Amino acid sequence: MMETSDPPIVKLPQKRFYRQRAHSNPISDHNFNYPSHPKELYKDKCPDNKTWDELYPSRGDRKVEFADVGCGYGGFLVSLGETFEDKLSIGMEIRVKVSDYVMDRIESLRALHPGKYQNIACIRTNSMKYLVNYFEKGQLSKMFFLYPDPHFKKSKHKWRIINPSLLSEYAYVLREGGLLYVVTDVEDLYKWMTSHFDAHQSFKRLSLEEEKQDILHDKLLNRSEEAQKVERNHGSKFLAIFKRI
Amino acid sequence: MESFKNFLIFSPDYQKLIAFVSTEDQTQNFTIEVDWNYPINNIKPKLFLENQENADNDDEGKKQNGSEEKISLNNIAVTEENNLLAYTATDKTLFLWQIDEKSAKIVSRRSFLRTSSCIRFSKCGKILFLTDKTGDVFEYLCDEENFNTRGRWIFGHISQILDLAVTIDLKYLITSDRDEKIRVTNYPKVHEINSYCMGHKEFVSAIAIISDSHLISISGDKCIKLWNFIDGKELQSHSFQFVPVLLKVISHSHQTGLLCVSSIENTVYIFKYLIIDDTMTLDTLAEKQFKSDVELAVLNNEFYIEYIRDNDDSLKSGIFIDRVKIEDKTVNFQKIFDNIALSETDISIKIVKPFDVSLLFKHGRMFDNVKEYNDRKKARIENKMKSKKAK
Ligand SMILES: C[S@@+](CC[C@H](N)C(=O)[O-])C[C@H]1O[C@@H](n2cnc3c(N)ncnc32)[C@H](O)[C@@H]1O
């Protein structure tokens, strides 16, 4: 039963109010609020930012362990939270409206299912620049990069969210043995990314067998909005999982 | 400005000449001309590790072809040991000279990819690190067999790099950027980030290593911070009344030394520092306001300040250099050099800062697309409420 002080009807947010141009430039400075050090979000208050306790009302002394980077409309994030109920997952999204949609979505889910969905949250940020403002060395055990923007032009390869510079940063926030998941529907991008992982000494790809056995395997391929779009267009999907060594 | 033996080295016009000014005997001064016809090794370093071609049409390149803009010199570095001087130029070439007390000769001119922001040699002088405005770091070997070897990409930030420091033992490269970050990268395993020193709230304009584990940084947030860079821990922060831009350090021991800091308004401050139990106290010894931009250098445990001033005996302006003479607690700014005896040559003297600090501030001057969106969303919801009420 819903409490009477709550708004009488809670509806999931409607996506049509939150649509936004697909690509934003991750290199330019838009107005972002971010902590100047990860420890700031563990305080009682952090000016201009929500603290971890504000984002996860029943956090206790847990820290975020899973990050869905470029989470889009959050379909996979929701599923991730359902799969790992005792782990905290964060969605990071650069687009204002899209991240706002995810925040509203989580709020409605929490209202519709009291006590549930307490373990997921979304922040608007440019993860390519501010990841280490949020996470300490070795804090994360899983990172997800699902259907990242391809940035086809060669001169824009630096904008790719998986690139050799950033792989070192991902290796820094991931603990040893942690996993990094990549899925794309663009074969060239898949080749480009996997070649950079191969060249990077902090990552080792799992075997196909191990990849198939991952509990998230199927969800990676069909839970996010982008995955469903690819599905509708009968596109192919390429998946790879790397271990932080 | 850099130093070599008893010389201060700088280019008075960032174009034609490089001046070597002796701090002991003005008759030893000499200049060399930059040979812009020296052949370029056009083999550029590759961005990232791969076998792929570089993004060919980088927009900066285009700009240069179109305009009449003259090529000029940019960043300078000098080795401590094997007598090398390096300058980057705006045509994206890296000049290397072998120098001695009387002359200098070019030994190579190698290409790089994007406008450089800083160059530094390793202590041994065999490796030069070049950072650029798009955030990448390249390594150029500078031992004799490799004078002309092409550069190699080693790692990157997603932000303009403003300064780079190398530990004496070459175990770490430390880089600071416009996004308030200081990154400590292992060397030679450059794919490993050892730590980040996080805490500044604006661009980190300069860093200096002062002991095996201590680092000092200055930032557009007006703070000077002391770090243990090995574990990325902030030990202390002091606020200045001004925005610091340039930083030079003379360490007397692991605990004590002197700092020379210039401000955005071209005031130069001299501080004595003392570090006890990871806390730093700063004692202001002197400050002096200059009318032009300044450059700083350290030579034989003394600070030198380069600036531009009207000559006393002629109407021409010239390059002046002051030595900061510190005895106990009294500080004197002694003019050791004025003009460059170049007044005859038609060069236009100037001092160019490594970057335009005023363009680096982020907070409070950016387009606020979040606020715009939230305002519209609020309006939308309010409208809906109104129309509901109307029904
Ligand atoms: C093609 S979408 C995929 C979204 C989602 N993962 C899915 O599978 O539905 C890529 C998303 O990454 C976001 N993005 C791109 N660059 C980003 C960055 N630097 N930081 C955070 N998000 C970013 C984009 O705004 C976009 O929503």
Side-chain angles (χ1 to χ4, degrees), chain A residues 70-71 93-95 125-128 146-147 149 224-226:
Chain A
C71 66
E93 173 52 54
I94 196 169
R95 288 185 287 169
T125 195
N126 181 347
S127 71
M128 292 174 70
L146 307 187
Y147 310 91
D149 297 331
S224 78
E225 284 70 14
E226 196 63 28

Side-chain angles (χ1 to χ4, degrees), chain B residues 16-287:
Chain B
K16 282 192 192 141
L17 287 180
I18 298 174
F20 293 71
V21 168
S22 167
T23 54
E24 290 182 348
D25 175 0
Q26 295 292 304
T27 65
Q28 286 180 16
N29 296 356
F30 66 96
T31 59
I32 57 168
E33 275 195 39
V34 180
D35 177 6
W36 291 105
N37 292 321
Y38 192 90
I40 299 173
N41 174 355
N42 264 321
I43 308 174
K44 291 184 181 170
K46 307 252 172 186
L47 186 62
F48 306 147
L49 314 156
E50 66 218 294
N51 244 344
Q52 84 176 46
E53 311 274 279
N54 282 306
D56 0 277
N57 292 330
D58 97 59
D59 13 10
E60 286 175 320
K62 273 188 221 144
K63 233 184 283 162
Q64 262 186 7
N65 295 341
S67 73
E68 284 286 271
E69 217 177 296
K70 275 205 194 140
I71 305 168
S72 59
L73 296 174
N74 196 355
N75 313 103
I76 179 175
V78 175
T79 58
E80 286 180 42
E81 278 168 22
N82 62 346
N83 306 359
L84 293 174
L85 160 68
Y87 251 117
T88 58
T90 52
D91 66 349
K92 298 183 198 116
T93 61
L94 169 71
F95 281 92
L96 200 62
W97 286 265
Q98 254 175 339
I99 44 177
D100 59 40
E101 267 107 305
K102 290 181 282 305
S103 63
K105 86 168 201 291
I106 302 181
V107 293
S108 68
R109 185 180 179 190
R110 290 177 273 186
S111 306
F112 53 87
L113 289 180
R114 307 283 167 116
T115 305
S116 64
S117 59
C118 167
I119 51 175
R120 299 272 184 248
F121 281 105
S122 60
K123 168 95 176 153
C124 64
K126 290 184 180 153
I127 307 168
L128 178 137
F129 300 101
L130 181 150
T131 67
D132 71 27
K133 294 209 169 170
T134 56
D136 288 300
V137 186
F138 297 86
E139 170 184 86
Y140 285 80
L141 299 180
C142 294
D143 45 339
E144 210 148 337
E145 313 83 83
N146 286 304
F147 276 159
N148 209 17
T149 313
R150 82 152 179 221
R152 180 176 78 99
W153 179 86
I154 54 175
F155 65 89
H157 290 221
I158 311 289
S159 175
Q160 180 176 349
I161 299 184
L162 302 177
D163 201 2
L164 179 146
V166 190
T167 56
I168 292 176
D169 59 10
L170 197 49
K171 268 171 91 170
Y172 302 106
L173 300 182
I174 310 181
T175 36
S176 72
D177 71 21
R178 189 190 166 196
D179 284 339
E180 311 94 22
K181 288 195 186 69
I182 301 169
R183 165 174 162 163
V184 182
T185 307
N186 290 347
Y187 191 89
K189 291 187 171 181
V190 286
H191 65 282
E192 290 177 6
I193 300 172
N194 175 77
S195 51
Y196 276 99
C197 300
M198 306 286 295
H200 276 301
K201 293 186 159 54
E202 281 287 356
F203 58 90
V204 184
S205 31
I207 50 177
I209 297 164
I210 56 166
S211 79
D212 297 345
S213 59
H214 288 137
L215 179 84
I216 287 180
S217 61
I218 55 171
S219 152
D221 65 10
K222 296 189 177 175
C223 288
I224 179 167
K225 289 185 191 280
L226 175 72
W227 308 88
N228 178 326
F229 65 82
I230 309 282
D231 52 20
K233 208 163 144 197
E234 180 178 327
L235 302 175
Q236 194 158 19
S237 185
H238 274 288
S239 259
F240 290 136
Q241 298 295 317
F242 55 88
V243 175
V245 181
L246 302 174
L247 168 70
K248 292 285 168 188
V249 178
I250 298 171
S251 318
H252 293 138
S253 71
H254 277 293
Q255 279 99 38
T256 60
L258 298 164
L259 303 180
C260 181
V261 180
S262 75
S263 77
I264 198 167
E265 281 103 15
N266 298 313
T267 303
V268 173
Y269 298 81
I270 310 293
F271 301 99
K272 200 172 170 159
Y273 71 84
L274 172 68
I275 298 170
I276 301 172
D277 294 336
D278 287 344
T279 25
M280 177 172 65
T281 45
L282 286 183
D283 192 2
T284 312
L285 298 185
E287 62 175 84

